[in-house]
Amino acid sequence: MSDTALNTTDVMNTDPVVIKDTVSNDKRKSDSIGQQDFILLEEDNEEGFDDYDGHFDNPTEPGTQEPSVVPAPELAEHNSLAGNDDFIAFSNSETSGESESEEDEEDEDNKDKTKTKIEEKIVTTEYPWIVNHDHSKQTEIADWLTLEIQDFVHYISPSKEEIKARNITISKLRQAVKSLWPDADLHVFGSYATDLYLPGSDIDCVVNSTNCDKQNTSSLYKLAKHLKDEHIATEIEVISKTRVPIIKFVEVESRIHIDVSFERTNGLEAAKLIRDWLDTTPGLRELVLIVKQFLHSRRLNNVHTGGLGGFSIICLVYSYLHMHPRIITNEIDPVENLGVLLIDFFELYGKNFGYDDVAISMTDGMPSYLNKYDWRDIHPMRNPFSLAIQDPGDKTNNISRGSFNIRDIKKAFAGAFDLLTNRCFELDGATLSERKGKSVLGNCIKYKGKERDFTDERNLVLNKAILENEDYHQKKRSRIIHDAEDTEGTSKESTIDTEAPPAKKRKKSKKQSKKKKKKLKDVKGSETTKFVLAKDEEDDYNPLTV
């Protein structure tokens, strides 16, 4: 959620009031239908929605100004260390009646205190992903940074409990939507459908219907009230007067933040494309998650405030990896050189990239650079110093047009390059004892979050969002092929109906038959025969069936 997001907890179940926001110019008022328990937000920022990655992608963290979030019971078990909930203090005034002897109690007390001190050290460390993962003995600092990147990505990757909680939440929402509108279905896009989400990230959903008639204010209100009545949603916000109307809320049991939009498919198409990129581009997931965390820690990943959206970040990293000279020439393996690649990424987009003149083209299957002045669809440009990324699905669309704060993003990237290189030089000159417990990456990404288990369990539980997105595209391809076959069949039938009846076959004489056989024998193996055969094979090819 954004910095200006309204904490609706304070106005739940109260009389209708007009709410004035002292931070922004947005008009906010309570809705006047139903139980007056959700908020209507009117927003003027037309570029505040990332078409491919949702409205906001800000993970919720403790200590922020956002509504307080209570972890679900199934997710809170491994976070109990954060509040020392597993530690029971012993009082000197307790009687030892049915308990063990006083000496045993003292021993247990000392053990618990020692255990607590160790656990507190783990919990309060600035860099929890390096606990029991010391790489300070690496000869090359770049290798140390690579291993630390891999450790951090492993650390923030979801556990099976988190994936299950998200799957259950999606199923609940889909059932609620179908019970309200039988002709509609709910799909997931954005970071959860691409497996590129940080801990606490929201889930972006879209409601699509057979009649395509749900993108209106009335539908927003109906779904918001229905979710509230079914005890599925709380802290509901309806954002209606904007380019892409959405409903924002928190799912009651899992406490996951959800965004729901209506009648859009571009995010579903992008999710499939991004997963294809991940399959064919080693190192893409690791670098995207690092850059996402870096921008999130500096509040530069929110499109609403001019930051970089999720899809723009992915396109930057994807194009960078596919045009890196040492990767193109197979000089380095991306996965084994993540440290060098991260530093090069920050140097390119922080110091060397020509934002005034250069755009990034993502069309035709491979990324390339494009002269901004040759891309007529983005003219006239309000600000030449801007990031321009050509939409893979629409050459006329600049997917990063909402990132108006590009100067601060560029400065942040340049600062990250200086920070990482200085840190590498500092640790390279340090002794082994001075290196121990240090982090190369920590001051750059500034990760602050709840205590997590060091487990990546994505292979243990299926991500329903990915499976359902694949199913959506499979059904879509089947419909296209079916429609094409129907069209082809209709055209053939109409041709047969209108043509003249076939002429009667004349009996061929034996002499004519012999002549034809001789002719075929003479041209057998010639180029003409090969051409005829090739042409016949080509005629049998139907690109729609591939």
Side-chain angles (χ1 to χ4, degrees):
M1 295 178 67
S2 67
D3 296 340
T4 60
L6 178 66
N7 187 338
T8 58
T9 311
D10 299 331
V11 296
M12 289 296 173
N13 301 320
T14 61
D15 296 331
V17 292
V18 177
I19 301 168
K20 294 181 180 179
D21 187 356
T22 58
V23 181
S24 69
N25 294 326
D26 299 338
K27 298 176 183 178
R28 301 175 180 222
K29 58 184 179 179
S30 64
D31 182 40
S32 59
I33 59 175
Q35 300 175 348
Q36 296 90 25
D37 49 14
F38 54 88
I39 305 302
L40 173 65
L41 286 76
E42 298 178 2
E43 299 199 350
D44 299 323
N45 184 358
E46 292 300 307
E47 304 298 342
F49 187 88
D50 187 338
D51 291 305
Y52 303 92
D53 209 42
H55 197 77
F56 302 111
D57 189 29
N58 287 344
T60 54
E61 294 176 351
T64 65
Q65 296 300 317
E66 297 173 359
S68 60
V69 176
V70 181
E74 63 269 25
L75 299 180
E77 193 173 353
H78 65 279
N79 291 331
S80 59
L81 298 180
N84 292 330
D85 296 332
D86 60 337
F87 171 65
I88 302 174
F90 291 88
S91 171
N92 294 330
S93 61
E94 287 181 343
T95 59
S96 59
E98 296 179 0
S99 62
E100 298 176 356
S101 64
E102 290 182 2
E103 292 182 359
D104 291 336
E105 286 182 0
E106 288 178 3
D107 291 339
E108 288 295 324
D109 192 13
N110 291 333
K111 287 179 183 178
D112 283 331
K113 286 179 180 177
T114 304
K115 181 181 176 184
T116 303
K117 286 180 181 178
I118 296 172
E119 290 170 347
E120 284 178 349
K121 185 178 179 181
I122 295 173
V123 172
T124 57
T125 182
E126 289 184 275
Y127 321 119
W129 61 91
I130 71 171
V131 175
N132 301 324
H133 291 77
D134 181 26
H135 305 296
S136 59
K137 294 182 180 179
Q138 291 291 324
T139 306
E140 297 292 335
I141 304 299
D143 294 337
W144 180 354
L145 180 55
T146 294
L147 293 170
E148 194 173 340
I149 290 171
Q150 293 172 345
D151 286 343
F152 176 76
V153 171
H154 193 76
Y155 178 78
I156 63 170
S157 292
S159 65
K160 61 182 179 181
E161 287 82 9
E162 291 171 316
I163 300 173
K164 284 178 181 178
R166 287 174 175 257
N167 287 343
I168 292 170
T169 299
I170 293 169
S171 298
K172 282 183 183 178
L173 292 176
R174 178 172 290 107
Q175 290 174 4
V177 169
K178 283 186 171 293
S179 67
L180 179 63
W181 298 310
D183 72 316
D185 198 1
L186 180 131
H187 300 280
V188 179
F189 66 101
S191 59
Y192 187 53
T194 57
D195 215 7
L196 290 171
Y197 59 100
L198 299 175
S201 289
D202 58 9
I203 299 177
D204 299 294
C205 305
V206 59
V207 173
N208 291 329
S209 62
T210 306
N211 299 323
C212 300
D213 59 351
K214 302 295 186 292
Q215 193 172 8
N216 54 63
T217 307
S218 176
S219 296
L220 285 173
Y221 297 153
K222 284 181 182 177
L223 183 58
K225 185 176 184 304
H226 182 65
L227 293 174
K228 182 66 179 179
D229 292 343
E230 295 293 317
H231 305 290
I232 293 175
T234 185
E235 301 177 28
I236 304 172
E237 298 174 351
V238 177
I239 305 175
S240 59
K241 294 187 178 180
T242 186
R243 181 169 63 89
V244 181
I246 65 168
I247 304 171
K248 299 174 67 66
F249 60 91
V250 177
E251 201 273 323
V252 172
E253 292 188 13
S254 67
R255 305 298 300 176
I256 296 173
H257 289 251
I258 312 289
D259 290 357
V260 179
S261 55
F262 294 83
E263 306 294 1
R264 304 178 69 81
T265 59
N266 47 5
L268 302 177
E269 302 294 337
K272 170 64 176 171
L273 178 65
I274 292 167
R275 288 199 305 276
D276 291 342
W277 288 354
L278 288 167
D279 291 339
T280 58
T281 312
L284 179 60
R285 181 173 185 265
E286 291 84 354
L287 290 182
V288 166
L289 290 175
I290 293 293
V291 175
K292 268 193 168 187
Q293 173 58 36
F294 169 81
L295 291 172
H296 166 63
S297 67
R298 289 156 177 81
R299 298 185 181 275
L300 291 172
N301 67 327
N302 191 338
V303 181
H304 186 70
T305 55
L308 274 182
F311 194 42
S312 294
I313 294 171
I314 294 166
C315 288
L316 280 184
V317 178
Y318 178 74
S319 62
Y320 160 75
L321 290 175
H322 277 270
M323 290 190 282
H324 195 289
R326 298 182 70 186
I327 295 177
I328 293 173
T329 57
N330 294 322
E331 186 179 343
I332 61 173
D333 181 350
V335 177
E336 295 178 1
N337 292 273
L338 293 171
V340 171
L341 292 174
L342 181 64
I343 293 174
D344 285 353
F345 175 89
F346 286 135
E347 183 181 24
L348 172 63
Y349 293 113
K351 295 179 179 289
N352 300 330
F353 191 78
Y355 291 93
D356 287 310
D357 306 309
V358 181
I360 298 174
S361 173
M362 304 299 297
T363 58
D364 302 324
M366 289 300 293
S368 61
Y369 290 133
L370 175 69
N371 191 321
K372 270 189 178 181
Y373 298 94
D374 293 337
W375 187 5
R376 296 182 181 179
D377 297 297
I378 63 173
H379 294 286
M381 290 184 289
R382 289 177 294 180
N383 180 14
F385 189 86
S386 60
L387 180 63
I389 303 176
Q390 202 170 41
D391 190 336
D394 180 4
K395 292 183 179 181
T396 65
N397 182 36
N398 175 15
I399 65 172
S400 58
R401 65 186 181 278
S403 301
F404 57 82
N405 197 16
I406 201 64
R407 290 188 184 276
D408 285 346
I409 294 169
K410 180 179 182 292
K411 286 179 184 177
F413 284 158
F417 170 77
D418 293 335
L419 188 65
L420 283 176
T421 51
N422 290 338
R423 186 64 169 167
C424 287
F425 281 119
E426 177 189 339
L427 292 175
D428 187 52
T431 63
L432 288 177
S433 59
E434 292 172 336
R435 287 185 183 185
K436 195 167 185 180
K438 296 293 192 294
S439 168
V440 186
L441 185 66
N443 292 334
C444 177
I445 59 175
K446 296 182 178 179
Y447 177 79
K448 294 178 182 178
K450 296 178 181 178
E451 175 71 13
R452 296 179 57 81
D453 287 337
F454 205 100
T455 52
D456 180 356
E457 297 179 332
R458 290 173 299 141
N459 60 329
L460 301 180
V461 181
L462 295 174
N463 181 326
K464 275 192 176 182
I466 294 177
L467 293 176
E468 289 163 0
N469 188 267
E470 289 289 343
D471 185 56
Y472 166 83
H473 287 284
Q474 183 63 37
K475 289 178 180 177
K476 183 180 177 181
R477 283 193 293 269
S478 300
R479 284 196 301 270
I480 293 173
I481 294 171
H482 180 71
D483 293 343
E485 288 175 347
D486 286 348
T487 305
E488 187 179 351
T490 304
S491 61
K492 283 183 179 179
E493 287 174 7
S494 59
T495 306
I496 293 171
D497 291 340
T498 54
E499 67 182 5
K504 290 182 179 179
K505 291 183 180 179
R506 291 184 298 172
K507 263 190 174 182
K508 291 182 181 179
S509 63
K510 290 182 180 179
K511 194 179 282 187
Q512 285 176 323
S513 181
K514 284 180 181 178
K515 281 183 181 179
K516 187 174 181 182
K517 285 180 182 178
K518 186 175 184 303
K519 189 176 180 181
L520 287 172
K521 188 177 180 181
D522 292 340
V523 299
K524 188 176 181 181
S526 67
E527 293 299 324
T528 307
T529 308
K530 290 178 184 176
F531 171 76
V532 171
L533 290 173
K535 187 176 180 183
D536 289 341
E537 290 173 2
E538 186 179 346
D539 289 342
D540 292 335
Y541 171 70
N542 182 0
L544 292 173
T545 61
V546 176

